[in-house]
Amino acid sequence: MGKNKLKKFAEIEEWDCVLQYPREKLINEGFPHRGKWNENIFSKSSPIVLELGCGKGEYTVSLAKSNPDSNYIGVDIKGARLWSGAKQIEKESIPNATLLRAEIENIDKFFAPGEIDEIWITFPDPQMQKARKRLTSSRFMSLYGKILKPGGIIHLKTDSPFLYEYTKRLVEENGYEVILATDDLYGSGKADPESAIKTFYEDQWLSRGKKIKLITFRPSFDNPPVEPFADDIPKDDYRAYTRHTPLTPAQQP
């Protein structure tokens, strides 16, 4: 492990805005702030919004700064990624933003039933070969149902045509209420201040001419989520390229 990563890990250990809880301790003792996030972590009781797979925490921080009446938690397992957002939260003393280093598969261990008002899923890996790993799959929807309040909403923002179509099918298959669905967020004129927040990587996709998709929906968990048929959805043709690799002429928009 490089010295830079070691330095980042050491720093986030010292910052109050980053919560880390070893899996073994989580399983054996439980999470002490479960059901008490507003009481124990934030300065005031407000709706709680999660960003799952938050990476550097850019979206979480931007949402928190623009909406002081809600509390925001960015979740990611990569500590070195979280460092950027954590540094900004500490430097600017942002009271309604914090970061949680955790596996999303264990999210129900950190939050009580109905504790979460809203979930943002921003630019996740579409996991085209493994449905159970998709953050909008029926498996993960079941997890979200354990923490999302009745009437709570979920947003998926993605550059992936595959994941967008898959999620639309899941929403339709389960009869969830669609609040907004667009395969061209900025071209449609439907972007609002929250959905228009751009991360570093989103700017890269936009510079390549890729359209950003957004689907916002209100799930119901009266019945177990059903997995949609997705075998016929065309796979994305550019995911094999790294974020810094130029598109070939055949891949240009």
Side-chain angles (χ1 to χ4, degrees), residues 2 16 47 74 76 81 112 116 130 142-143 158 163 167 174 177 179 186 188 191 203 210 214 230 236:
D16 292 337
D76 205 291
R81 291 180 187 170
I116 301 305
K130 298 178 180 179
S142 293
L143 274 177
T158 181
L163 186 60
T167 305
N174 289 279
E177 177 189 350
I179 298 170
Y186 301 112
S188 68
D203 277 331
K210 295 299 177 184
L214 175 71
D236 299 339

Side-chain angles (χ1 to χ4, degrees), residues 28 34 46 53 68 74 137 167 185 203 217 225 241 251:
N28 292 335
R34 186 175 186 261
S46 299
S137 68
T167 305
L185 177 62
D203 277 331
F217 58 97
Y241 291 79
Q251 292 173 313

Side-chain angles (χ1 to χ4, degrees), residues 6 13 15 23 32 98 103 116 121-122 127 141 176 205-206 220:
L6 289 174
E13 286 281 354
W15 290 337
R23 181 187 298 179
T98 195
E103 295 174 319
I116 301 305
I121 305 170
T122 52
Q127 297 288 351
M141 293 303 298
Y176 297 158
W205 292 127
L206 288 168
S220 169

Side-chain angles (χ1 to χ4, degrees), residues 8 14 16 18-19 73 77 82 98 112 120 131 149 154 174 200 214:
K8 289 180 178 179
E14 300 296 322
D16 292 337
V18 181
L19 300 178
I73 304 168
I77 192 59
L82 291 174
T98 195
W120 279 88
K149 74 172 187 180
I154 296 175
N174 289 279
F200 173 78
L214 175 71

Side-chain angles (χ1 to χ4, degrees), residues 125-126 128 159 201 204-205 208 210 235-252:
D125 187 327
M128 291 181 285
D159 58 286
Y201 289 121
Q204 285 198 345
W205 292 127
R208 292 181 173 192
K210 295 299 177 184
K235 301 295 193 292
D236 299 339
D237 62 358
Y238 62 98
R239 279 287 170 172
Y241 291 79
T242 66
R243 298 184 187 275
H244 302 286
T245 303
L247 296 178
T248 65
Q251 292 173 313
Q252 295 290 343

Side-chain angles (χ1 to χ4, degrees), residues 57-189:
E58 300 159 277
Y59 222 93
T60 296
V61 170
S62 294
L63 284 169
K65 291 177 69 174
S66 61
N67 298 291
D69 291 330
S70 291
N71 293 327
Y72 293 87
I73 304 168
V75 182
D76 205 291
I77 192 59
K78 300 289 187 179
R81 291 180 187 170
L82 291 174
W83 177 86
S84 295
K87 184 177 181 180
Q88 186 176 357
I89 293 170
E90 287 289 315
K91 183 179 179 181
E92 299 181 23
S93 299
I94 303 171
N96 62 325
T98 195
L99 302 172
L100 172 65
R101 187 180 179 192
E103 295 174 319
I104 296 173
E105 288 88 346
N106 292 323
I107 201 70
D108 59 320
K109 308 290 192 305
F110 291 95
F111 301 98
E115 191 168 16
I116 301 305
D117 291 75
E118 194 172 335
I119 294 174
W120 279 88
I121 305 170
T122 52
F123 300 95
D125 187 327
Q127 297 288 351
M128 291 181 285
Q129 304 303 324
K130 298 178 180 179
R132 67 186 306 274
K133 290 190 174 184
R134 294 173 201 149
L135 291 187
T136 54
S137 68
S138 58
R139 173 195 177 208
F140 278 98
M141 293 303 298
S142 293
L143 274 177
Y144 306 152
K146 295 180 180 181
I147 62 173
L148 195 65
K149 74 172 187 180
I153 62 175
I154 296 175
H155 313 264
L156 169 71
K157 191 178 183 185
T158 181
D159 58 286
S160 167
F162 173 86
L163 186 60
Y164 176 69
E165 178 60 30
Y166 166 83
T167 305
K168 280 180 60 182
R169 291 191 184 187
L170 179 134
V171 168
E172 181 178 358
E173 180 72 27
N174 289 279
Y176 297 158
E177 177 189 350
V178 177
I179 298 170
L180 174 64
T182 174
D183 63 0
D184 184 5
L185 177 62
Y186 301 112
S188 68

